[in-house]
Amino acid sequence: MKTSSKHIILKTEALSIGYQQKKKRVVIVNNINLSIEKGTFVAVLGKNGIGKSTLLRTLSKVQNSLDGNVFLNNKNLSEYSNKELATSLSLVLTEHLPESQLTVFELIALGRQPYTNWIDTLSAEDFKKIHWAIKQTEIEHLQHNRFYELSDGQLQRVLIARALAQDTPIIILDEPTAHLDMHHTFKIFSLLKKLVDTTGKTIIISTHQVNLAIDLVDELIALSDKGLVNGRVQSLIDNDTLEHLFSKEIIKFNKTLRQFTIHKNN
Amino acid sequence: MKNNKTYKKQFILLSILLVVLWFVNICLGSVSIPFQEIFYILIGEETSKESWQTIILNFRVPKAITAILVGSGLSISGLLMQTLFRNPLAGPFVLGISSGASLGVALLILGSSFLGGSLLSLVFSNWSLAIAASLGAFLVLSAVIIAANSVRNTMSILIIGLMFGSLTSAVISVLAYFSEAEQIQQYLFWSFGSLGNLTWEELLVFFIIYVIGIFGTFMVIKPLNSFLLGENYAKSLGIHIKKSRNIILLITSLLTGVATAFSGPIAFIGLAVPHIAKMLFNTSNHKILIPAVIIIGAIVLLICDTIAQLPSSEYTLPINAITSLFGAPVVIWLLIRKKKIYV
């Protein structure tokens, strides 16, 4: 159940994201001031190359920020050790996994690494968490398969299970539905929504499924050429933020349908 | 991570095979000694011929132990490199370690003609070869690690290692060009590899470094397993990437460096054995793979050495030729049968 008290789990202050190229800094988005409550389902929207992945990578410390601060549970992200961060935040990335013979079970079990001893022995507690993650993502029938035998949709569920097994209050997913058809895209979205509703976890995704996101998530982070706007879905509709998400000649936001539609004359 | 029990049988069988092969290796050689006598010598009883005792205790037993240490050490190095670089073609020598060792030895043997006779007497001692090889390996590896810490991409380290390898080979070629035939031959003999000629003191030094390396390998099981998901996931699981990478590089250089120093650059084992282990055990979990690779590496080199000494003949073939002659077809056969190769 969602907590009634407003606990801000993730906050940024004047955050600048981008990357350092030799001595030149390339700023992608400037002055980001986000605040995300515990137990919300958040989607980062925006066109290709606008900085969605960079934002998520910066929030999860895969990449360093250029300026400003990120606070996770009121503690500055830069003060987190790798190990401490591993018990606070888990990831599902878009990158391909290197080839190996890992089984689905073993892959999910790797999510328990922050808790296991020096030779990676699984405790009863670890097994419990792994089985719970497998059950939540409905992949019981796949657990003894090798991960390379899975379809994209199945693999995505396995990666979500791995993040769940890591038992963190926040899960960040970079385009979890990138290679999926409509059916599987919807299944992943509803799985994530169910997890937010039942476990009180905070889930942040980046996605191009804008219409689905508007329907299912609680909050949006909209990235456009005008910068970043963060808020509840309805408030972003009301203040016309979504109108400016894409170039208006082709795609338009229809307020009554709460959907993006394509211009007929194109 | 799971199903540890099902591997028990394989481990017991492999261990028995290792002990049997160790005995076979000791029993066979250019001088034939009755099995019963060998047994007496090993348990410390009197034998009918003193020379047999010398052959067994000061020659064959150290050689068989060297085979085990070299075989398992190089194989573990290969496994570490394949996982670190996520490349099935990586081996213990990709970091330029063998070229570094070769350079050290080449400078000692080939360079001695420039430095005059004073050094020449030193050349023939086993220790000076080992020290030269270690120094060479260590220097090249330090250069690789320093370079590695200024590049972010792990793949770049692989290429930097290969480049250092090319550089040192070039220097060796230049040295060889200006050297006497006799010295070139001596260098060539070193590069053939040899498991024999180690005294018990040398073996003790080898063993201590080997144990440090193997102990270190068990300490990095967790980072190794997390590397199976790629560096970003490993980091998100709490692994300190640079630190783990440096420890893995250090272990590899210790194990490969010491093996190369004492027995020359032995090819192929380090590349092939991890694949044999992965195919036999069907897993990528390093908790299973590390002990498997240690045992299989020892077994493979014992077999190669047994073949190389051409039982009951006066000749001994270069170990380097045997490892490739017999190992390459085995790996090709395994690949054709299993169709797929893994990191």
Side-chain angles (χ1 to χ4, degrees):
Chain A
M1 286 292 107
K2 281 181 201 174
T3 44
S4 47
S5 63
K6 286 191 176 178
H7 175 62
I8 304 293
I9 194 158
L10 192 68
K11 202 171 80 175
T12 67
E13 275 177 7
L15 179 72
S16 283
I17 59 169
Y19 48 93
Q20 199 82 28
Q21 211 173 44
K22 282 177 192 164
K23 280 184 183 121
K24 208 176 73 190
R25 339 166 74 195
V26 180
V27 180
I28 296 176
V29 189
N30 234 332
N31 198 25
I32 303 170
N33 295 292
L34 284 174
S35 86
I36 293 166
E37 278 172 36
K38 188 175 180 294
T40 44
F41 187 8
V42 185
V44 182
L45 304 182
K47 59 186 184 188
N48 283 332
I50 198 86
K52 295 187 299 296
S53 291
T54 311
L55 175 65
L56 293 187
R57 289 163 68 90
T58 311
L59 292 180
S60 55
K61 216 181 166 186
V62 169
Q63 176 174 346
N64 289 327
S65 61
L66 293 179
D67 239 323
N69 294 305
V70 180
F71 293 95
L72 190 64
N73 268 325
N74 293 320
K75 187 178 165 184
N76 199 319
L77 196 63
S78 59
E79 287 165 21
Y80 275 83
S81 70
N82 283 5
K83 191 145 187 185
E84 202 181 347
L85 191 62
T87 58
S88 310
L89 191 148
S90 53
L91 292 175
V92 175
L93 302 166
T94 38
E95 61 187 40
H96 276 280
L97 296 177
E99 275 191 27
S100 73
Q101 304 199 71
L102 283 176
T103 64
V104 167
F105 185 93
E106 286 175 324
L107 200 158
I108 297 168
L110 280 175
R112 296 303 296 169
Q113 270 214 346
Y115 309 94
T116 54
N117 67 359
W118 66 284
I119 50 165
D120 228 356
T121 313
L122 296 174
S123 67
E125 169 77 7
D126 294 327
F127 274 107
K128 214 176 88 190
K129 295 277 184 197
I130 294 164
H131 288 304
W132 175 80
I134 288 173
K135 205 169 161 232
Q136 287 294 316
T137 48
E138 294 163 25
I139 49 171
E140 288 96 338
H141 58 294
L142 299 172
Q143 55 179 311
H144 301 298
N145 288 36
R146 311 250 164 215
F147 81 84
Y148 56 79
E149 299 165 343
L150 306 179
S151 70
D152 285 339
Q154 291 170 329
L155 183 60
Q156 208 52 251
R157 299 180 88 78
V158 169
L159 291 173
I160 292 171
R162 193 208 62 82
L164 279 178
Q166 205 175 327
D167 197 21
T168 56
I170 304 181
I171 303 177
I172 291 181
L173 303 93
D174 193 8
E175 294 195 35
T177 60
H179 306 286
L180 306 185
D181 60 32
M182 271 174 90
H183 169 77
H184 288 98
T185 300
F186 182 77
K187 274 182 80 176
I188 294 289
F189 264 90
S190 47
L191 166 67
L192 294 175
K193 185 166 176 51
K194 182 191 84 180
L195 289 170
V196 170
D197 290 341
T198 57
T199 63
K201 285 182 192 294
T202 308
I203 294 183
I204 306 172
I205 65 168
S206 65
T207 183
H208 288 295
Q209 301 293 333
V210 280
N211 288 336
L212 209 47
I214 290 167
D215 266 353
L216 292 173
V217 305
D218 305 313
E219 274 195 35
L220 293 175
I221 295 172
L223 277 167
S224 67
D225 299 323
K226 293 182 173 173
L228 181 147
V229 185
N230 154 232
R232 309 296 286 186
V233 177
Q234 191 58 49
S235 71
L236 261 66
I237 294 176
D238 292 341
N239 67 18
D240 293 337
T241 305
L242 292 182
E243 300 253 6
H244 305 294
L245 206 54
F246 300 106
S247 135
K248 276 185 207 159
E249 297 100 67
I250 302 171
I251 301 162
K252 212 176 163 217
F253 187 71
N254 186 323
K255 275 193 182 182
T256 42
L257 286 174
R258 289 165 60 93
Q259 297 277 287
F260 280 92
T261 52
I262 298 167
H263 259 254
K264 290 275 154 54
N265 40 350
N266 273 296
Chain B
M1 273 163 255
K2 216 201 163 191
N3 304 334
N4 287 357
K5 275 177 208 150
T6 53
Y7 295 114
K8 228 173 215 165
K9 216 198 294 173
Q10 279 125 304
F11 275 119
I12 293 171
L13 277 175
L14 283 173
S15 306
I16 294 170
L17 187 63
L18 177 62
V19 174
V20 170
L21 283 168
W22 189 76
F23 268 111
V24 170
N25 186 277
I26 289 171
C27 293
L28 297 175
S30 30
V31 181
S32 53
I33 304 171
F35 180 75
Q36 216 177 352
E37 297 284 337
I38 291 172
F39 188 73
Y40 284 147
I41 295 168
L42 286 179
I43 59 169
E45 296 217 1
E46 286 297 303
T47 45
S48 32
K49 266 198 202 173
E50 202 144 301
S51 64
W52 286 351
Q53 195 166 347
T54 315
I55 289 174
I56 296 293
L57 290 183
N58 289 337
F59 187 70
R60 287 192 193 172
V61 171
K63 188 162 73 102
I65 294 174
T66 308
I68 290 176
L69 299 186
V70 170
S72 53
L74 288 178
S75 305
I76 283 291
S77 299
L79 176 69
L80 294 181
M81 290 299 98
Q82 287 173 9
T83 303
L84 182 65
F85 295 120
R86 291 177 290 285
N87 188 331
L89 286 178
F93 294 143
V94 291
L95 295 174
I97 295 170
S98 100
S99 354
S102 305
L103 182 64
V105 171
L107 281 173
L108 183 76
I109 298 177
L110 305 177
S112 64
S113 55
F114 301 110
L115 298 168
S118 58
L119 269 169
L120 242 125
S121 55
L122 275 173
V123 170
F124 296 99
S125 125
N126 235 352
W127 279 109
S128 55
L129 274 183
I131 290 167
S134 311
L135 271 180
F138 178 76
L139 282 179
V140 169
L141 195 93
S142 310
V144 172
I145 289 181
I146 290 168
N149 279 326
S150 54
V151 296
R152 205 172 295 162
N153 190 330
T154 306
M155 292 307 149
S156 312
I157 305 175
L158 192 66
I159 298 178
I160 289 172
L162 290 171
M163 290 303 111
F164 271 105
S166 292
L167 272 175
T168 47
S169 323
V171 174
I172 293 169
S173 302
V174 172
L175 277 175
Y177 185 77
F178 290 109
S179 296
E180 310 281 329
E182 198 185 325
Q183 276 139 358
I184 294 175
Q185 196 189 25
Q186 212 188 344
Y187 172 75
L188 207 60
F189 269 118
W190 176 81
S191 69
F192 282 153
S194 156
L195 298 172
N197 306 329
L198 257 73
T199 64
W200 281 103
E201 292 125 63
E202 287 166 330
L203 204 53
L204 183 70
V205 173
F206 193 163
F207 184 73
I208 290 168
I209 297 172
Y210 170 87
V211 168
I212 295 170
I214 296 295
F215 180 73
T217 308
F218 278 97
M219 297 301 288
V220 290
I221 285 179
K222 261 175 102 156
L224 286 172
N225 275 341
S226 73
F227 281 150
L228 292 174
L229 298 179
E231 282 182 16
N232 283 334
Y233 275 117
K235 196 179 163 195
S236 86
L237 285 166
I239 301 297
H240 205 297
I241 302 290
K242 252 191 182 167
K243 197 175 104 191
S244 309
R245 195 169 78 182
N246 282 344
I247 294 174
I248 291 170
L249 291 178
L250 195 70
I251 295 169
T252 307
S253 60
L254 269 184
L255 288 174
T256 311
V258 75
T260 311
F262 283 116
S263 52
I266 292 183
F268 190 80
I269 293 281
L271 171 70
V273 170
H275 289 301
I276 297 173
K278 283 168 199 167
M279 287 177 208
L280 282 180
F281 282 79
N282 252 318
T283 183
S284 290
N285 183 358
H286 290 82
K287 215 167 130 185
I288 308 296
L289 277 182
I290 288 169
V293 162
I294 290 174
I295 302 177
I296 296 171
I299 288 175
V300 170
L301 202 56
L302 273 176
I303 295 174
C304 289
D305 179 57
T306 311
I307 297 167
Q309 63 201 5
L310 292 174
S312 333
S313 82
E314 281 173 43
Y315 300 102
T316 306
L317 294 175
I319 185 76
N320 233 340
I322 302 298
T323 50
S324 299
L325 264 179
F326 285 83
V330 169
V331 170
I332 293 171
W333 173 75
L334 276 170
L335 275 179
I336 290 169
R337 224 189 52 162
K338 291 261 182 169
K339 299 277 197 296
K340 211 160 156 52
I341 193 160
Y342 301 96
V343 173

